[in-house]
Amino acid sequence: MKKPIKHFAVTTLTATALGLLLAGPVLAANEVVQPTMLAASETMDDAEEVASDTWITSKVKSTFLADSNLSGIDIKVETNKGVVTLSGVVATDAERDLAVAKTKEIKGVTAVAAEALKTAE
């Protein structure tokens, strides 16, 4: 019966030694973990922002295409940090104003830049 006890002791000692060897760098790297976590958080925020901008662009474009009073195909839509930029050429000032108004109604839109959206009149 001595052999199993000796085997248990050797296994336990080996596991403890390995644990200490592996824990050392982790404990020493604790200072590095904080900035890494911050960088990961910032990357997540950036990814969420891009996804949100993409969603806004898609929603604006689909709103234009669904509205028979707008020539949605002729209006280019770009979004950056919630600011939607409209460009292209529409038939009338009324259509331009409608495009701006519809864009402002979309959730997440913080501003609309429509200086590049021209009228054919």
Side-chain angles (χ1 to χ4, degrees):
M1 292 308 260
K2 289 184 181 181
K3 191 171 187 178
I5 293 173
K6 184 177 180 183
H7 179 70
F8 175 76
V10 170
T11 303
T12 304
L13 205 77
T14 303
T16 303
L18 283 173
L20 289 173
L21 285 173
L22 294 174
V26 171
L27 294 174
N30 194 25
E31 294 174 10
V32 177
V33 172
Q34 297 275 342
T36 303
M37 289 178 71
L38 287 174
S41 176
E42 288 172 10
T43 302
M44 291 286 289
D45 291 344
D46 291 344
E48 289 172 4
E49 191 171 281
V50 168
S52 179
D53 285 345
T54 302
W55 182 88
I56 291 169
T57 299
S58 297
K59 183 66 176 169
V60 170
K61 196 68 174 165
S62 65
T63 299
F64 289 175
L65 293 172
D67 192 318
S68 60
N69 295 314
L70 289 170
S71 51
I73 294 174
D74 299 327
I75 303 171
K76 183 177 179 185
V77 180
E78 295 179 346
T79 309
N80 186 14
K81 297 181 181 179
V83 177
V84 178
T85 302
L86 305 176
S87 60
V89 179
V90 292
T92 65
D93 285 336
E95 186 176 354
R96 181 183 184 282
D97 294 343
L98 181 59
V100 171
K102 290 280 188 180
T103 302
K104 287 180 178 178
E105 293 174 1
I106 304 297
K107 181 181 177 185
V109 173
T110 57
V112 179
E115 294 80 19
L117 186 57
K118 306 297 181 188
T119 57
E121 296 181 328

